[in-house]
Amino acid sequence: MGGAKNHAIVMPDADLDQVTNELMGAGFGSAGERCMAISVVVPVSDKTANALMARLKPRVEGLKVGLPTDAESAYGPLITLAHRKKVLDYIDLGVKEGAEMVVDGRGFKMQGYESGFYLGGSLFDRVTPNMKTYQEEIFGPVLQIARARDFDEALALPSTHQYGNGVAIFTRDGDAAREFAARVNVGMVGINVPFPCLWPITVSAAGSGRPSAT
């Protein structure tokens, strides 16, 4: 089975307001149900992670989930009831695995559509590579934060993950961006943009040699 687990590396010199804006669309657009969604954010250093979390938490809490026909909605329902349950199971598992749940979207109910396949946005911090929820694709409105101590640790996370569709790095340092793009073992690389690819064609994890659902 293929899948995707696209990472966004956030360096200490990144514009965190820009990063936050980009992640809200990249992580939660289409309810996270797209192969090129950013599902894992890797801030480099605790200082960067804490500053980013201070910006992300209120934004995720304020997500407007609604009808797909409502232009003000961030996203609509998930594709099926069965898939909604699958995403809920992954969120439950993340809690059991010891990830820090910062925003819990499980209790969301859409007024007038209480039986719909809606789910609020969820945000996890301190996710680690040994967790099943990190290793597997969730394919829903769930954003995971996996902190890295330094550039090399951040580089290793997407490079060694079983899925290698795409990755992004946010930095103002041109040397860091070029080194990352040259060394990371992922098919497509975005520099200060969350979507390495805008067209839905990927073969063998976009050239990384690892599985892909796209």
mmCIF file of all heavy atoms in Angstrom, residues 20 25 56 78 86-87 100 117 124 130 137 141 153-155 159 178 183 187 203 205:
data_model
loop_
_atom_site.group_PDB
_atom_site.id
_atom_site.type_symbol
_atom_site.label_atom_id
_atom_site.label_comp_id
_atom_site.label_asym_id
_atom_site.label_seq_id
_atom_site.Cartn_x
_atom_site.Cartn_y
_atom_site.Cartn_z
ATOM 1 N N THR A 20 3.186 30.047 9.415
ATOM 2 C CA THR A 20 1.879 29.718 9.984
ATOM 3 C C THR A 20 0.781 29.832 8.939
ATOM 4 O O THR A 20 -0.067 28.937 8.806
ATOM 5 C CB THR A 20 1.568 30.643 11.173
ATOM 6 O OG1 THR A 20 2.590 30.495 12.167
ATOM 7 C CG2 THR A 20 0.219 30.304 11.793
ATOM 8 N N GLY A 25 -3.165 26.372 5.288
ATOM 9 C CA GLY A 25 -3.722 25.874 4.036
ATOM 10 C C GLY A 25 -3.172 24.520 3.651
ATOM 11 O O GLY A 25 -3.913 23.625 3.236
ATOM 12 N N LEU A 56 0.400 28.772 15.875
ATOM 13 C CA LEU A 56 -0.460 27.766 15.273
ATOM 14 C C LEU A 56 -1.688 27.445 16.122
ATOM 15 O O LEU A 56 -2.793 27.278 15.590
ATOM 16 C CB LEU A 56 0.326 26.474 15.043
ATOM 17 C CG LEU A 56 1.110 26.320 13.751
ATOM 18 C CD1 LEU A 56 1.904 25.022 13.768
ATOM 19 C CD2 LEU A 56 0.186 26.360 12.536
ATOM 20 N N LEU A 78 -15.282 15.115 5.713
ATOM 21 C CA LEU A 78 -14.421 14.080 5.167
ATOM 22 C C LEU A 78 -15.207 13.260 4.153
ATOM 23 O O LEU A 78 -16.429 13.369 4.055
ATOM 24 C CB LEU A 78 -13.848 13.207 6.281
ATOM 25 C CG LEU A 78 -12.599 13.787 6.971
ATOM 26 C CD1 LEU A 78 -12.955 14.999 7.823
ATOM 27 C CD2 LEU A 78 -11.900 12.746 7.825
ATOM 28 N N LYS A 86 -11.656 6.279 10.716
ATOM 29 C CA LYS A 86 -10.233 5.940 10.610
ATOM 30 C C LYS A 86 -9.362 7.077 11.136
ATOM 31 O O LYS A 86 -8.399 6.852 11.877
ATOM 32 C CB LYS A 86 -9.877 5.632 9.152
ATOM 33 C CG LYS A 86 -8.418 5.265 8.929
ATOM 34 C CD LYS A 86 -8.165 4.974 7.453
ATOM 35 C CE LYS A 86 -6.696 4.650 7.205
ATOM 36 N NZ LYS A 86 -6.419 4.375 5.771
ATOM 37 N N VAL A 87 -9.701 8.318 10.763
ATOM 38 C CA VAL A 87 -8.942 9.471 11.250
ATOM 39 C C VAL A 87 -9.098 9.610 12.756
ATOM 40 O O VAL A 87 -8.123 9.869 13.472
ATOM 41 C CB VAL A 87 -9.388 10.754 10.519
ATOM 42 C CG1 VAL A 87 -8.686 11.977 11.112
ATOM 43 C CG2 VAL A 87 -9.082 10.649 9.025
ATOM 44 N N GLU A 100 1.660 15.025 22.482
ATOM 45 C CA GLU A 100 0.959 16.067 23.239
ATOM 46 C C GLU A 100 -0.160 16.656 22.378
ATOM 47 O O GLU A 100 0.100 17.297 21.359
ATOM 48 C CB GLU A 100 1.937 17.171 23.634
ATOM 49 C CG GLU A 100 1.307 18.319 24.402
ATOM 50 C CD GLU A 100 2.290 19.434 24.691
ATOM 51 O OE1 GLU A 100 3.512 19.153 24.784
ATOM 52 O OE2 GLU A 100 1.847 20.596 24.803
ATOM 53 N N PHE A 117 -20.039 14.019 8.054
ATOM 54 C CA PHE A 117 -18.702 13.450 8.248
ATOM 55 C C PHE A 117 -17.684 14.530 8.616
ATOM 56 O O PHE A 117 -16.542 14.519 8.151
ATOM 57 C CB PHE A 117 -18.258 12.713 6.985
ATOM 58 C CG PHE A 117 -19.269 11.749 6.432
ATOM 59 C CD1 PHE A 117 -19.351 11.507 5.065
ATOM 60 C CD2 PHE A 117 -20.155 11.070 7.270
ATOM 61 C CE1 PHE A 117 -20.284 10.618 4.542
ATOM 62 C CE2 PHE A 117 -21.099 10.181 6.759
ATOM 63 C CZ PHE A 117 -21.164 9.959 5.390
ATOM 64 N N PHE A 124 -1.040 18.127 17.111
ATOM 65 C CA PHE A 124 -0.203 17.368 18.035
ATOM 66 C C PHE A 124 1.195 17.974 18.094
ATOM 67 O O PHE A 124 1.742 18.387 17.063
ATOM 68 C CB PHE A 124 -0.068 15.911 17.597
ATOM 69 C CG PHE A 124 -1.220 15.024 17.948
ATOM 70 C CD1 PHE A 124 -2.132 14.621 16.972
ATOM 71 C CD2 PHE A 124 -1.394 14.552 19.235
ATOM 72 C CE1 PHE A 124 -3.187 13.788 17.285
ATOM 73 C CE2 PHE A 124 -2.441 13.710 19.570
ATOM 74 C CZ PHE A 124 -3.350 13.323 18.589
ATOM 75 N N ASN A 130 9.132 7.009 16.308
ATOM 76 C CA ASN A 130 8.738 5.649 16.684
ATOM 77 C C ASN A 130 7.225 5.483 16.764
ATOM 78 O O ASN A 130 6.729 4.362 16.912
ATOM 79 C CB ASN A 130 9.357 5.261 18.024
ATOM 80 C CG ASN A 130 8.872 6.139 19.167
ATOM 81 O OD1 ASN A 130 8.977 7.364 19.097
ATOM 82 N ND2 ASN A 130 8.349 5.534 20.217
ATOM 83 N N GLU A 137 0.218 7.317 7.101
ATOM 84 C CA GLU A 137 -0.558 8.443 6.605
ATOM 85 C C GLU A 137 -1.908 8.496 7.320
ATOM 86 O O GLU A 137 -2.620 7.496 7.402
ATOM 87 C CB GLU A 137 -0.783 8.302 5.098
ATOM 88 C CG GLU A 137 -1.574 9.449 4.489
ATOM 89 C CD GLU A 137 -1.775 9.270 2.993
ATOM 90 O OE1 GLU A 137 -2.060 8.132 2.558
ATOM 91 O OE2 GLU A 137 -1.638 10.259 2.267
ATOM 92 N N PRO A 141 -7.645 16.127 8.811
ATOM 93 C CA PRO A 141 -7.275 17.441 9.343
ATOM 94 C C PRO A 141 -6.485 17.345 10.643
ATOM 95 O O PRO A 141 -6.942 17.765 11.712
ATOM 96 C CB PRO A 141 -8.640 18.115 9.540
ATOM 97 C CG PRO A 141 -9.561 16.986 9.863
ATOM 98 C CD PRO A 141 -9.076 15.825 9.024
ATOM 99 N N GLU A 153 19.288 16.560 12.057
ATOM 100 C CA GLU A 153 18.183 15.740 12.553
ATOM 101 C C GLU A 153 16.909 16.032 11.745
ATOM 102 O O GLU A 153 16.154 15.125 11.400
ATOM 103 C CB GLU A 153 17.936 15.999 14.032
ATOM 104 C CG GLU A 153 16.848 15.105 14.622
ATOM 105 C CD GLU A 153 16.635 15.307 16.111
ATOM 106 O OE1 GLU A 153 17.307 16.181 16.711
ATOM 107 O OE2 GLU A 153 15.794 14.585 16.682
ATOM 108 N N ALA A 154 16.687 17.296 11.436
ATOM 109 C CA ALA A 154 15.522 17.664 10.633
ATOM 110 C C ALA A 154 15.618 17.063 9.231
ATOM 111 O O ALA A 154 14.622 16.580 8.678
ATOM 112 C CB ALA A 154 15.405 19.181 10.552
ATOM 113 N N LEU A 155 16.797 17.078 8.644
ATOM 114 C CA LEU A 155 17.028 16.506 7.322
ATOM 115 C C LEU A 155 16.758 15.007 7.305
ATOM 116 O O LEU A 155 16.208 14.462 6.336
ATOM 117 C CB LEU A 155 18.469 16.782 6.902
ATOM 118 C CG LEU A 155 18.951 16.190 5.583
ATOM 119 C CD1 LEU A 155 18.352 16.944 4.405
ATOM 120 C CD2 LEU A 155 20.483 16.237 5.506
ATOM 121 N N SER A 159 13.989 12.165 5.056
ATOM 122 C CA SER A 159 14.872 11.331 4.233
ATOM 123 C C SER A 159 14.737 9.850 4.558
ATOM 124 O O SER A 159 14.950 8.996 3.683
ATOM 125 C CB SER A 159 16.328 11.769 4.421
ATOM 126 O OG SER A 159 16.534 13.075 3.940
ATOM 127 N N ARG A 178 19.855 25.478 -0.202
ATOM 128 C CA ARG A 178 20.531 24.703 -1.248
ATOM 129 C C ARG A 178 21.072 23.383 -0.707
ATOM 130 O O ARG A 178 20.976 22.343 -1.382
ATOM 131 C CB ARG A 178 21.663 25.538 -1.854
ATOM 132 C CG ARG A 178 21.186 26.607 -2.836
ATOM 133 C CD ARG A 178 22.355 27.279 -3.536
ATOM 134 N NE ARG A 178 23.080 28.161 -2.630
ATOM 135 C CZ ARG A 178 22.777 29.442 -2.423
ATOM 136 N NH1 ARG A 178 21.747 29.979 -3.051
ATOM 137 N NH2 ARG A 178 23.489 30.186 -1.594
ATOM 138 N N ARG A 183 20.643 17.415 -0.393
ATOM 139 C CA ARG A 183 20.870 16.236 0.443
ATOM 140 C C ARG A 183 19.619 15.445 0.789
ATOM 141 O O ARG A 183 19.703 14.246 1.060
ATOM 142 C CB ARG A 183 21.570 16.651 1.743
ATOM 143 C CG ARG A 183 22.989 17.161 1.555
ATOM 144 C CD ARG A 183 23.566 17.642 2.890
ATOM 145 N NE ARG A 183 23.525 16.612 3.908
ATOM 146 C CZ ARG A 183 23.749 16.840 5.208
ATOM 147 N NH1 ARG A 183 24.002 18.067 5.633
ATOM 148 N NH2 ARG A 183 23.690 15.847 6.080
ATOM 149 N N GLY A 187 11.346 13.071 -3.190
ATOM 150 C CA GLY A 187 11.172 13.311 -4.620
ATOM 151 C C GLY A 187 11.070 14.760 -5.025
ATOM 152 O O GLY A 187 11.673 15.181 -6.005
ATOM 153 N N VAL A 203 5.223 9.381 -9.722
ATOM 154 C CA VAL A 203 5.595 8.004 -9.982
ATOM 155 C C VAL A 203 6.649 7.583 -8.966
ATOM 156 O O VAL A 203 7.666 8.245 -8.803
ATOM 157 C CB VAL A 203 6.141 7.837 -11.415
ATOM 158 C CG1 VAL A 203 6.535 6.389 -11.649
ATOM 159 C CG2 VAL A 203 5.098 8.279 -12.431
ATOM 160 N N ALA A 205 6.804 7.604 -5.606
ATOM 161 C CA ALA A 205 7.049 8.651 -4.626
ATOM 162 C C ALA A 205 7.841 9.805 -5.236
ATOM 163 O O ALA A 205 8.748 10.363 -4.637
ATOM 164 C CB ALA A 205 7.767 8.101 -3.397
#
